[in-house]
Amino acid sequence: MTMMQWFIFFLAVQVIHFLGTWKLYKKAGRQPWEAIVPVYNAVILMKIIGRPWWWTILLFIPIVNLIMFPVIWVETARSFGKNTTTDTALVIVTLGFYLYYLNYVAPVTYKTERSLVPKSASGEWTSSILFAVVAATIVHTYVMQPFTIPTGSLERTLLIGDFLFVSKFHYGARTPMTTVSFPMVHDTIPGLGIKSYLDKPQLPYFRLPGFQKIERSDIVVFSWPVDTVNRFYGLDDGKYYQKPIDKKSNYVKRAVGIPGDSLKVVDGKVYVNNKPLELPDRAQLQYSYQGLSKGSGFNAKNLYDSYKITNLQFFNSTQFATQSITDENAERFRNHPNVASLEKIIAPADQKDPSIFPKGTASLGNRDQISTLYIPKKGTSTPITTENIPLYKRLIEVYEGTEMGHPQTITISGNQVLLDNQPLTEYTFKQDYYWMMGDNRHNSEDSRFWGFVPENHVVGKPVFIWFSWDSNGNGIMEKIRFDRLFTTVGGNGKPVSYFLYFVIALVAYIVISKIVKNRRLKS
C-alpha cells in the first residue's frame, strides 16, 4: 500500500469508529465530535474506559495493535455494563461492530465507577497473559530478539547450538512491514506448520534511529535477500512464493564489506580497498583440507577435542578430507601420528564457478577467488554498462523496485542498458548495501552465491550468548558449553563467561526478596 492508500485507510477507520461510538461518547459525558478527531478520540476513549492515556500509543504499534484493538472493544462494552461472557464473545466475533448495537439500539448506561479488577481468576489470568504478550511483542520487535545458530557458517566464532540475544536497537529497530501477523513468531506458526502472516496490507519500510552503524567485520543478523531461493535460481517448479522483507528467513554472517567498499577475494582471503580484511581476535576462519593417513584410524572424540574436527570424511583407506578446520588447528593436525600429509583446498584463479554471484557466465569467479566489485552506497552514482549490469540488476529491479513499491524493469538492447525502456548509463542507489560472508569459508552460503544485502534487510546485532548446547557431547553436563554461557559475541580476547555472576545475583535477589517479604508480613 502507498502512503496515500494508508492515509485513506486511516481516515476510513476514524469514520467507522465515529459512526459506532459517538452516542457512547455522549452517554459518557463527552462531546460527540470528540469521537472523530484522530488520535484525540483514542485519548478520550482511554478516559472513558478508565485506562491510562499511553494505551493510545499501543494502538499505533504494528502487531501490538492487533492485540490491543479487541481489548479496547471489550473494555468499551464493559464500560457500558456489557460484561458477560456472551457480550465479550459478540464483541470479538463481530470485530468490534457489536458496539454499533450498543450505540444505536441497546439501552446502555455509562458505568462511572466501573471496577477494573477482573471478577474471576480466569479473567485475571487472561488479563495478565494478554499484557505479557504485548510486552514481549514490543521487546521482541524493537529491543531484543532470541536467535539460534542452526548452521556452521560462522564456526568457530559462533557455534551450532549457540542461543543468542540479537539487539534491535544497535543499528535501529526495523518497524514491522507486515501488519497482520501472529505475535512473536517469524514466518510459520510452531506446531501447525502454516504461514503466520497475511501478505497484505504492507507498511512502508522504516527504521528507528540506532546509535551505531554496521562496521566492517561486524556479525549481523539479516533477512535473507533471495528467500525463497528457488525463484532466484530460476527454478520454475512452483514450490516457491514471495515473502515480505520482514518475513524472510533470518541469516547471520559477518559484514566483510560495507557501503562504498571495493572488495575482492584472493586464495580464500578477503581484501577490502586493496588491503587484507582486519578481523577481531575472536574470528576463527575455517577452510577445507585434504590429506593422506598412514593407514591407522582416527578417534572421533580426539579429533573433536584436540582439533575441533567434526566431519572428517574418508574416500578410501588413506585419503580423507575435512570441510571445516582453522589454519591453526590444521597445523597442529599435521603433527598427528597418523597424518602423512595435509593440504588446504583452494580453487585456482582461472576456475569459474557458475553458481557464484551473479550466476552463469557473469560469475565473479569461485568461492576462493572473487573479482573486484564495488559495494553500492546510498546516494552515490555508479556507472552502468552491459558488463556490470548483472551485478546490480536485482538491486535495481527488486530491492529498490518491487519490494519498495516502485516497480522498475531492466532490459538490454544491443550494447545499451534500459531502465523502464529509457537509456541507463548510471544509477544512484537509494539505500546502502553490504557483502556478508561466513567465517567457515567453505561451508557457508553467503554473498558469494547470492550477492548484496540491502540495508532494509538488516535485523540486528548479536550481542550475547545466553546458552550453548554441544550435540557432540555424551551426557547432559558435557553437552552444555558452560564456558560459553552468558558470554558476549563481540570484543577481543577469549570470551569470558558471566554465568557464575548471574547465578550469584539471582540467589542474592531471591534471598533479599524473601527477607523483605517476611518483614512485611511481620509488620
Side-chain angles (χ1 to χ4, degrees), residues 85 118-129:
T85 302
K119 297 182 178 180
S120 65
S122 60
E124 187 171 350
W125 273 101
T126 301
S127 179
S128 299
I129 292 173

Side-chain angles (χ1 to χ4, degrees), residues 93-165:
V93 169
T94 62
L95 300 179
F97 282 96
Y98 181 62
L99 298 180
Y100 273 68
Y101 168 73
L102 303 185
N103 193 57
Y104 293 108
V105 180
V108 295
T109 304
Y110 177 59
K111 305 297 181 181
T112 56
E113 301 297 330
R114 180 175 73 95
S115 174
L116 300 180
V117 179
K119 297 182 178 180
S120 65
S122 60
E124 187 171 350
W125 273 101
T126 301
S127 179
S128 299
I129 292 173
L130 190 64
F131 282 97
V133 171
V134 169
T137 300
I138 292 173
V139 171
H140 183 275
T141 305
Y142 297 97
V143 183
M144 201 76 69
Q145 176 181 336
F147 187 83
T148 306
I149 300 297
T151 68
S153 68
L154 273 168
E155 289 194 343
R156 303 222 35 94
T157 309
L158 292 175
L159 307 180
I160 295 177
D162 279 350
F163 292 78
L164 312 176
F165 281 133

Side-chain angles (χ1 to χ4, degrees), residues 105 135 138 167 219 242 244 249 259 276 315 379 399 403 440 446 469 513:
V105 180
I138 292 173
S167 166
I219 295 177
Q242 193 67 23
S249 302
F315 303 106
Y399 305 150
E403 289 188 343
N440 195 338
D446 49 38
W469 181 260
S513 298

Side-chain angles (χ1 to χ4, degrees), residues 36 285 397:
I36 201 171
L285 302 184
E397 286 189 328

Side-chain angles (χ1 to χ4, degrees), residues 151-409:
T151 68
S153 68
L154 273 168
E155 289 194 343
R156 303 222 35 94
T157 309
L158 292 175
L159 307 180
I160 295 177
D162 279 350
F163 292 78
L164 312 176
F165 281 133
V166 176
S167 166
K168 299 290 188 72
F169 55 83
H170 273 76
Y171 303 139
R174 182 180 64 186
T175 58
M177 287 164 271
T178 303
T179 57
V180 182
S181 176
F182 199 82
M184 292 187 301
V185 300
H186 195 52
D187 59 345
T188 306
I189 299 177
L192 299 180
I194 60 176
K195 196 167 69 171
S196 65
Y197 61 92
L198 298 182
D199 293 294
K200 295 181 180 180
Q202 288 279 311
L203 286 171
Y205 165 74
F206 179 75
R207 186 177 294 277
L208 297 173
F211 65 86
Q212 185 181 100
K213 288 186 174 294
I214 296 177
E215 297 179 0
R216 198 178 295 114
S217 294
D218 273 358
I219 295 177
V220 181
V221 173
F222 56 92
S223 302
W224 189 27
V226 297
D227 193 8
T228 55
V229 73
N230 281 12
R231 179 171 182 174
F232 183 65
Y233 278 65
L235 301 179
D236 296 322
D237 54 12
K239 295 181 180 179
Y240 59 81
Y241 57 90
Q242 193 67 23
K243 293 183 181 180
I245 294 173
D246 57 339
K247 292 302 176 183
K248 292 182 178 183
S249 302
N250 285 339
Y251 265 36
V252 57
K253 307 288 180 184
R254 191 182 298 279
V256 298
I258 60 176
D261 279 347
S262 177
L263 181 144
K264 64 181 178 180
V265 180
V266 179
D267 295 335
K269 305 292 184 183
V270 176
Y271 291 80
V272 179
N273 303 324
N274 291 319
K275 296 179 181 179
L277 174 68
E278 294 184 9
L279 292 168
D281 293 348
R282 296 185 187 177
Q284 299 184 55
L285 302 184
Q286 292 193 109
Y287 298 90
S288 294
Y289 277 77
Q290 63 183 4
L292 294 173
S293 74
K294 296 178 180 178
S296 303
F298 290 97
N299 180 280
K301 189 175 187 305
N302 174 258
L303 287 179
Y304 178 74
D305 292 341
S306 300
Y307 312 104
K308 302 304 178 185
I309 297 175
T310 59
N311 57 352
L312 196 67
Q313 296 177 313
F314 272 88
F315 303 106
N316 52 49
S317 59
T318 59
Q319 190 177 11
F320 66 85
T322 178
Q323 194 177 32
S324 309
I325 185 173
T326 65
D327 289 343
E328 181 184 5
N329 284 334
E331 191 62 35
R332 292 191 299 105
F333 189 44
R334 282 193 178 96
N335 298 320
H336 190 284
N338 190 37
V339 173
S341 65
L342 186 68
E343 299 297 331
K344 184 187 293 187
I345 304 174
I346 295 293
D350 60 352
Q351 183 182 98
K352 181 169 282 193
D353 182 350
S355 69
I356 294 296
F357 177 79
K359 307 295 180 186
T361 57
S363 165
L364 290 172
N366 56 63
R367 65 182 184 179
D368 296 315
Q369 319 284 348
I370 299 291
S371 302
T372 301
L373 60 96
Y374 170 75
I375 301 173
K377 184 177 182 179
K378 180 180 179 180
T380 60
S381 297
T382 301
I384 298 297
T385 65
T386 53
E387 286 75 26
N388 71 3
I389 191 58
L391 289 175
Y392 306 122
K393 185 174 187 291
R394 182 175 175 84
L395 279 63
I396 297 171
E397 286 189 328
V398 180
Y399 305 150
E400 308 212 346
T402 55
E403 289 188 343
M404 300 295 281
H406 308 290
Q408 45 194 18
T409 304

